[in-house]
Amino acid sequence: MSKKKDFKKRRILKEQPVPRNCPFDKNGTVPDYKDIDTLQKYVSDRAKILGKDRTGICSKHQRMLSTAIKRARHLGLLPFIPTLK
């Protein structure tokens, strides 16, 4: 009396990756921890750092961006957790 399992294929919804167009390469700048307005564009509403597949930043600047966000958080310029509205 074995039970048959129903193997249904589940759809996995993936977000479309953003094409690589690094704004830091275009402007010739680097991410800075003091520039809060720029850093907030790369942080989600849950205060998580967005990946380079979602933002379109190159690998080099993504590493620099994550370091800048972490420094800004440590200095109290950016929140570690989302703010309640």
Side-chain angles (χ1 to χ4, degrees):
M1 300 201 186
S2 64
K3 294 182 181 179
K4 291 185 178 180
K5 292 186 179 180
D6 188 21
F7 292 106
K8 292 182 179 179
K9 291 186 179 180
R10 294 186 180 177
R11 285 180 143 174
I12 298 174
L13 298 175
K14 293 185 178 180
E15 293 185 18
Q16 294 294 325
V18 178
R20 295 277 181 259
N21 46 359
C22 183
F24 298 110
D25 282 334
K26 289 179 183 177
N27 299 337
T29 60
V30 292
D32 188 21
Y33 70 94
K34 294 174 274 189
D35 190 10
I36 302 304
D37 297 330
T38 305
L39 296 181
Q40 283 181 339
K41 289 193 284 187
Y42 302 107
V43 177
S44 71
D45 59 341
R46 300 282 186 172
K48 292 184 177 182
I49 301 172
L50 295 175
K52 65 179 187 172
D53 58 330
R54 303 261 319 266
T55 59
I57 297 179
C58 63
S59 298
K60 173 183 161 185
H61 287 113
Q62 178 69 28
R63 289 190 299 271
M64 295 169 81
L65 182 73
S66 64
T67 305
I69 291 172
K70 290 173 187 177
R71 281 184 184 163
R73 284 178 176 168
H74 226 59
L75 292 172
L77 303 174
L78 280 177
F80 278 97
I81 58 174
T83 56
L84 298 175
K85 293 182 181 178

